Amino acid sequence: MRPIDKPVLDARTVFDTCTATARPKTVRTKLQALKDTVAAAAAEYDTAATARALHTLGHLKDLPDGEPKKKGGLNKELKNTYSSRMVHKKSAGRDFYDQLLKEAPDDRCALCGQGIADTLDHQLPKAHYPLLAVAPANLVPACRDCNYYKGEEAPLNAEQQTLHPYYDGEIHDHTWLVARVSGPPKPAVVFAAVPPPEMPSLLAARVRHHFTILKLARLYNPQAGPELRNLSRSLPRLSAKAVLEHLRERAEDWAVSEGVNSWQAALYRALANSPWYTGGGYKEPWK
Ligand SMILES: [Zn+2]
């Protein structure tokens, strides 16, 4: 997860702008009458997210209709407010969409740090929380894979909350992404979320949930191949002692530039800590 500063956009202003030109007029009138309700839901969301308790917002589920698929109800119009009045290229709220998307670090997904951020993910899904469909703090720049894997699942308890880029930056105070190097005959790398014992238990559980639900091992494991192939060419030019030093320096550099829980930092930490790899395994051509 890549932390991003919480958006400064005001939830009420965004909702007001998106719905001010909604058609037909009967729908517009009904949506505009929800401004206070939407603003209050966004304020509750902010309080709950700060307290890492988004699972406690169950009372906002399926509002204002009270059921997911009420015919002719407002839930559908609120969901449409996102797709038709914010995402659509010529819609009234498109500037807000672009503004949120451009905060993606290096244009990459804030949830996995790797995929291209070409969509916004609803941290609490709009299918269950229509009142939060265009709430800026609920919209996170993400790749299509993360958006798909996260799906419409809403947290039922504190541990099931995926990491939130706007609220959970302190997870990187701890090193929890590890790479496991195996060999011989050839080096192979598998990534895993292994929170350290000193990490608060709730954060540790959320890190594991985030890693599992977004299938991050599937995403990170293949990244190691090109690095190992490249190292099998460059490291043999160094002395045995310099190999270990080089790997440690790279681990530190990646930790500083991309974070201690980037796959790059995890990979180089693991390589530097592998007696087999530093003892000559690096000479093995990888695949
Ligand atoms: Zn992603």
Side-chain angles (χ1 to χ4, degrees):
M1 188 276 280
R2 297 282 295 266
I4 302 178
D5 288 342
K6 192 166 67 174
V8 292
L9 290 171
D10 173 58
R12 187 189 175 93
T13 306
V14 170
F15 182 77
D16 187 23
T17 306
C18 290
T19 56
T21 53
R23 289 197 166 86
K25 194 182 172 188
T26 48
V27 169
R28 178 163 74 239
T29 305
K30 284 180 187 174
L31 287 173
Q32 288 266 296
L34 285 173
K35 275 189 275 190
D36 288 344
T37 311
V38 164
E44 263 201 82
Y45 177 96
D46 184 53
T47 304
T50 304
R52 300 195 170 118
L54 285 180
H55 64 294
T56 63
L57 296 182
H59 57 283
L60 295 178
K61 259 188 185 179
D62 302 323
L63 291 180
D65 290 340
E67 54 181 285
K69 291 180 180 172
K70 186 180 171 189
K71 220 175 176 185
L74 277 171
N75 285 7
K76 192 177 160 200
E77 286 302 334
L78 284 168
K79 292 173 210 166
N80 280 348
T81 297
Y82 175 72
S83 47
S84 305
R85 302 171 187 119
M86 191 185 204
V87 179
H88 193 275
K89 287 278 182 198
K90 292 180 180 172
S91 65
R94 179 66 194 201
D95 283 353
F96 297 129
Y97 181 90
D98 290 339
Q99 210 172 315
L100 291 166
L101 200 56
K102 81 173 172 51
E103 293 304 318
D106 298 328
D107 296 329
R108 290 182 186 270
C109 172
L111 299 178
C112 66
Q114 189 65 27
I116 301 300
D118 47 14
T119 183
L120 293 178
D121 178 70
H122 288 79
Q123 188 77 11
L124 286 182
K126 67 179 184 307
H128 298 301
Y129 294 89
L131 288 175
L132 297 167
V134 296
N138 193 37
L139 298 170
V140 173
C143 70
R144 292 189 187 278
D145 277 356
C146 283
N147 204 332
Y148 173 76
Y149 289 132
K150 201 161 147 291
E152 294 182 353
E153 190 187 334
L156 296 174
N157 53 52
E159 289 78 10
Q160 279 184 6
Q161 299 173 92
T162 49
L163 301 172
H164 200 317
Y166 300 148
Y167 294 90
D168 291 323
E170 73 183 65
I171 56 149
H172 297 308
D173 293 348
H174 304 273
T175 301
W176 49 264
L177 184 66
V178 302
R180 295 190 176 111
V181 180
S182 59
K186 290 176 180 175
V189 175
V190 175
F191 290 87
V194 185
E198 67 273 17
M199 195 167 181
S201 59
L202 174 57
L203 274 186
R206 290 183 60 202
V207 159
R208 283 191 289 263
H209 179 71
H210 186 92
F211 191 85
T212 303
I213 204 113
L214 298 178
K215 302 185 189 299
L216 295 185
R218 174 187 169 277
L219 178 65
Y220 296 160
N221 290 349
Q223 310 297 333
E227 288 288 328
L228 291 171
R229 215 159 28 242
N230 187 279
L231 289 170
S232 73
R233 290 181 57 82
S234 61
L235 290 182
R237 296 183 199 124
L238 304 176
S239 69
K241 193 180 165 213
V243 165
L244 184 57
E245 208 169 300
H246 175 79
L247 293 171
R248 283 177 177 158
E249 279 175 7
R250 294 301 306 273
E252 183 58 28
D253 289 343
W254 280 117
V256 171
S257 66
E258 302 304 304
V260 292
N261 296 305
S262 62
W263 67 262
Q264 296 95 332
L267 173 64
Y268 278 88
R269 273 196 305 270
L271 294 176
N273 287 329
S274 165
W276 170 73
Y277 187 79
T278 55
Y282 60 85
K283 294 175 187 164
E284 299 292 334
W286 198 83
K287 282 189 180 173

